[in-house]
Amino acid sequence: MFTRLDHVGIACHDLDRAVRFYRTTFGLDVCHRETNEDQGVVEAMLRLNGTDDGAATYLQLLAPTRPDSPVGKFLHRNGEGIHHLAFGTPNVDREVADLQAAGTTVLFTPPRPASMGSRATFLHPRECGGVLVEIVTKKG
Ligand code: CO
């Protein structure tokens, strides 16, 4: 069961430029920065509300570390913009099992390490009306 919107992932070419835009235009600051070499992505998390105990909602700015990474390919195809929606759940493993039982294809089984020590998996856009959906459980 999804219990909240964890973050909206936004693909950008230049992370520092995007961070400056969100700070200058909306007054949002980076609360966490991380590179995931496995995914070929560098990210900045901007907290919108709540606290860091897992109840918060974030914007996740994503820039590729190499052109052939998933975000690099996305930018090549679509340009900058919304990349995915991430829904929070208390138990991503149970969510995966329920979705697979219902016939939905889950991209990463088991879920992979993700932002800020969380674990996450994805559902392909063709399964979700054109939206790349991430399912995430915060670090306990
Ligand atoms: Co994400």
Side-chain angles (χ1 to χ4, degrees):
M1 181 202 313
F2 297 157
T3 50
R4 61 200 174 78
L5 180 65
D6 186 89
H7 62 269
V8 178
I10 298 170
C12 54
H13 289 291
D14 181 334
L15 191 63
D16 289 332
R17 189 162 167 258
V19 163
R20 268 198 310 278
F21 169 78
Y22 280 93
R23 183 184 299 126
T24 306
T25 310
F26 302 122
L28 295 170
D29 280 315
V30 174
C31 65
H32 179 79
R33 228 174 151 123
E34 167 172 342
T35 301
N36 186 329
E37 286 300 349
D38 185 43
Q39 305 279 332
V41 71
V42 56
E43 64 171 52
M45 298 294 272
L46 283 58
R47 201 177 77 196
L48 288 175
N49 68 325
T51 60
D52 281 328
D53 67 358
T57 301
Y58 301 84
L59 293 182
Q60 180 185 50
L61 304 178
L62 303 159
T65 58
R66 52 178 194 268
D68 65 341
S69 66
V71 170
K73 289 178 186 167
F74 175 92
L75 283 165
H76 183 71
R77 275 196 313 272
N78 306 291
E80 294 185 315
I82 293 177
H83 179 262
H84 66 273
L85 294 183
F87 296 106
T89 179
N91 187 335
V92 66
D93 298 294
R94 185 183 309 145
E95 201 67 36
V96 165
D98 290 350
L99 285 160
Q100 287 180 322
T104 302
T105 304
V106 178
L107 294 181
F108 306 133
T109 311
R112 293 177 171 183
S115 307
M116 299 185 288
S118 64
R119 295 174 62 243
T121 191
F122 286 86
L123 306 181
H124 196 280
R126 73 174 159 263
E127 303 265 4
C128 304
V131 178
L132 176 60
V133 169
E134 180 178 2
I135 304 168
V136 58
T137 294
K138 288 290 183 205
K139 186 177 179 182

